Amino acid sequence: MGTTPEGVHEEAAAKRGAFSSRQVFILAAIGSAVGLGNIWRFPYVAYDNGGGAFVIPYIVALLTAGIPFLFLDYAMGHRFRGSAPLSFARLRRGTEGLGWWQVGICFMIAIYYAAVMAWAVRYTIFSVNKAWGDDPEGFFFGEFLQAGDPGVDATPVWGVLIPLLLVWVAILAVMLLGVQKGVGASSVIFIPLLVVAFVILVVRSLFLPGAAEGLDALFTPNWGALTDATVWAAAYGQIFFSLSIGFGIMITYSSYVHKHTDMPGSGLVVGFANSSFELLAGIGVFAALGFMAQANGVAVGDVATSGIGLAFVAFPAIISEAPAGALIGVLFFFSLVIAGFTSMVSIVEVVISGVRDKFEMTRTGATIAVTIPMAVLSLIFFSTTSGIYVLDIIDHFINQFGILLVAVISMLILSWGLRVLPTFSAHLSDGSSIVVGAWWRILVSIVAPIGLVLVLGLSFWEDLKTPYEGYPGWMLGVFGWGGAAAVIVFGFLAAQAKWRDPEALSEIHFNEKGAKS
């Protein structure tokens, strides 16, 4: 008779690791989705794209692209019970390269993401005595990062190198603990802590003078923006980047969930929890920016910004002037550290899981083989005086032409090339109160690709027309276009390597062959 499908599931879970419950999986997925972008990207994207009116394209994008694509990732990982490369290989051997492309993207993101976490760790401490003084911008780029002109410089910045090393030690420790005791437990602890810390920050910000003006700026609708294609592209881009979809994370995480878990229900919880946190972040950030605008006698639009500028320049300025500013600073940067850490764990797990599956390595062996080279490259490139420039370029290009591109291509291949959506629909609907039917297949095969192609096309045209941030062409070629191309080449070269256990590719056809195994 052989092994039953249920027995194969239990054996695979014991071998690869698994989340102990659906609740742990949901918290881990939320921990991955809620990252730096929720806090420092969404508020400004919303403000800059119609304010209150942006809620309409944002919700449309969530329902027509974000959650449907989340379901697609869940179906891949949950059905084929493997990392991104293994899941694609089990689906069709020729698509394995798509999984390794996603692994390569995660590798690239991890090495620079750790640097931002290291900055946030230092700034949590700086907030206590407002170490940046009267010139937060000069302090950040000068005294702290010691950034010179754009280029590549090997001069180490010890104030970044040491916390960056500590970040990697912490990541290594969590990853060595495994799926449940490391990945799962860190989210169970940190996500409630993040919510509590950020709610306190938001409440404190709402009582600052000028907070109402900041919220007015954020939520006052500009209905005319709804006729602008770039606003809709911004909504689809924001949803896509903030949900951790399309680059292997959710495929990996869903492979660690028990066979009979309600995946669509879990996806809805994760999707709406992520968007709720983004809204909370928007309220907190713009309440604080309203205070800053009033204190300086300018409009909110004059101080509104996003990304690194918001976190490490605008917020320190707010902290310096606000009553109980040190508390606001510690809560804000502590929130960045926690949100970044849970996201970082999920990014690194994609790479470890792929390597483990391919080469039949132990958890400890794969973790060390993956994390140590990541840490070394991270320290070489991002603890130097040129780290900020290399980081900015890689971040832009690997997001736009790595994550977006692999997502569009994989969606089209799964929908139109392999035509697996009906099979995935049945898998997702099994055991769920949500019927994932024709509506989902239409959204994944037609609506979501159109939305993402719009985002990708606009970004591509903009980067061809104007060199990103005015950086030298050679830097954009090497770290930008070159980095985005490198992960594609890596993906399809890695797929040519032989599997240590070729049987791994065929042992998992549970629904079709399990009874015959």
Side-chain angles (χ1 to χ4, degrees):
M1 286 290 291
T3 306
T4 65
E6 194 66 38
V8 177
H9 271 292
E10 291 172 359
E11 183 183 336
K15 184 178 178 181
R16 299 182 69 248
F19 293 124
S20 61
S21 67
R22 180 189 179 207
Q23 288 73 22
V24 173
F25 163 66
I26 288 173
L27 283 172
I30 292 172
S32 175
V34 174
L36 301 177
N38 298 67
I39 298 172
W40 75 21
R41 189 175 188 271
F42 170 78
Y44 185 77
V45 169
Y47 166 77
D48 197 43
N49 288 278
F54 183 72
V55 171
I56 294 175
Y58 178 83
I59 291 176
V60 169
L62 173 66
L63 297 177
T64 62
I67 288 176
F69 200 107
L70 189 62
F71 285 5
L72 182 65
D73 273 355
Y74 283 1
M76 277 289 294
H78 193 245
R79 177 175 169 79
F80 294 110
R81 318 301 293 174
S83 59
L86 182 54
S87 292
F88 274 104
R90 283 172 170 168
L91 171 65
R92 184 69 60 86
R93 186 70 173 84
T95 64
E96 182 188 337
L98 291 172
W100 285 110
W101 184 359
Q102 295 177 351
V103 167
I105 288 169
C106 286
F107 188 96
M108 293 279 280
I109 292 174
I111 62 173
Y112 74 77
Y113 206 89
V116 182
M117 287 175 56
W119 302 346
V121 169
R122 287 298 306 277
Y123 265 70
T124 304
I125 301 168
F126 289 157
S127 297
V128 176
N129 63 352
K130 303 169 187 175
W132 46 77
D134 297 327
D135 184 11
E137 184 172 4
F139 176 85
F140 178 66
F141 290 102
E143 187 174 338
F144 178 55
L145 294 181
Q146 300 173 29
D149 293 329
V152 175
D153 192 321
T155 305
V157 179
W158 295 104
V160 175
L161 189 150
I162 293 171
L164 180 55
L165 181 61
L166 293 176
V167 166
W168 279 109
V169 169
I171 290 293
L172 177 61
V174 169
M175 305 317 290
L176 284 171
L177 288 172
V179 175
Q180 172 58 30
K181 293 181 180 179
V183 177
S186 63
S187 293
V188 169
I189 294 168
F190 288 138
I191 292 306
L193 190 60
L194 171 63
V195 172
V196 170
F198 210 78
V199 166
I200 295 172
L201 171 65
V202 170
V203 171
R204 181 68 194 90
S205 299
L206 288 173
F207 285 95
L208 291 173
E213 286 74 14
L215 296 180
D216 281 344
L218 174 62
F219 290 114
T220 299
N222 172 17
W223 300 113
L226 297 181
T227 61
D228 187 344
T230 60
V231 170
W232 289 86
Y236 276 87
Q238 176 61 31
I239 283 292
F240 188 80
F241 291 132
S242 72
L243 269 179
S244 292
I245 48 179
F247 58 113
I249 292 174
M250 293 306 174
I251 293 176
T252 304
Y253 272 16
S254 60
S255 75
Y256 297 142
V257 183
H258 191 271
K259 177 184 176 183
H260 300 297
T261 302
D262 178 359
M263 299 306 290
S266 302
L268 291 178
V269 173
V270 172
F272 285 106
N274 176 72
S275 293
S276 297
F277 190 88
E278 289 198 316
L279 180 61
L280 184 67
I283 292 170
V285 166
F286 267 82
L289 289 174
F291 163 77
M292 184 179 178
Q294 185 184 85
N296 290 281
V298 297
V300 174
D302 294 331
V303 297
T305 184
S306 66
I308 290 171
L310 171 68
F312 298 101
V313 177
F315 248 86
I318 293 167
I319 293 161
S320 292
E321 298 180 20
L327 173 64
I328 292 175
V330 169
L331 289 170
F332 178 75
F333 289 109
F334 180 64
S335 296
L336 284 184
V337 171
I338 296 176
F341 190 82
T342 54
S343 293
M344 178 81 174
V345 164
S346 70
I347 293 165
V348 175
E349 180 62 24
V350 172
V351 188
I352 292 173
S353 183
V355 169
R356 280 197 74 192
D357 286 345
K358 182 88 171 183
F359 301 106
E360 285 286 300
M361 297 178 72
T362 64
R363 176 77 195 187
T364 299
T367 299
I368 292 173
V370 165
T371 309
I372 298 302
M374 276 184 173
V376 170
L377 288 171
S378 183
L379 290 164
I380 289 173
F381 283 103
F382 303 107
S383 64
T384 67
T385 55
S386 59
I388 178 69
Y389 304 122
V390 177
L391 185 153
D392 189 30
I393 293 170
I394 294 178
D395 177 58
H396 175 77
F397 281 85
I398 207 68
N399 275 280
Q400 301 294 338
F401 308 112
I403 296 176
L404 273 181
L405 188 58
V406 72
V408 170
I409 291 175
S410 61
M411 202 182 308
L412 292 175
I413 288 175
L414 294 176
S415 302
W416 298 103
L418 303 180
R419 298 185 179 275
V420 296
L421 296 190
T423 303
F424 284 0
S425 288
H427 180 86
L428 290 167
S429 299
D430 184 29
S432 175
S433 59
I434 301 168
V435 178
V436 182
W439 62 270
W440 175 74
R441 297 194 292 273
I442 291 170
L443 292 176
V444 169
S445 61
I446 299 173
V447 178
I450 290 173
L452 294 183
V453 166
L454 173 62
V455 178
L456 189 62
L458 289 172
S459 299
F460 185 67
W461 172 246
E462 189 62 34
D463 282 318
L464 283 182
K465 187 174 63 173
T466 308
Y468 176 65
E469 293 294 331
Y471 285 116
W474 72 267
M475 286 190 75
L476 295 177
V478 172
F479 297 108
W481 298 109
V487 293
I488 300 176
V489 174
F490 163 79
F492 291 93
L493 287 177
Q496 304 310 307
K498 291 184 178 180
W499 286 81
R500 182 79 176 270
D501 177 15
E503 288 298 312
L505 301 182
S506 58
E507 71 177 13
I508 208 77
H509 297 299
F510 295 118
N511 295 328
E512 296 160 0
K513 300 181 182 178
K516 303 176 185 177
S517 298

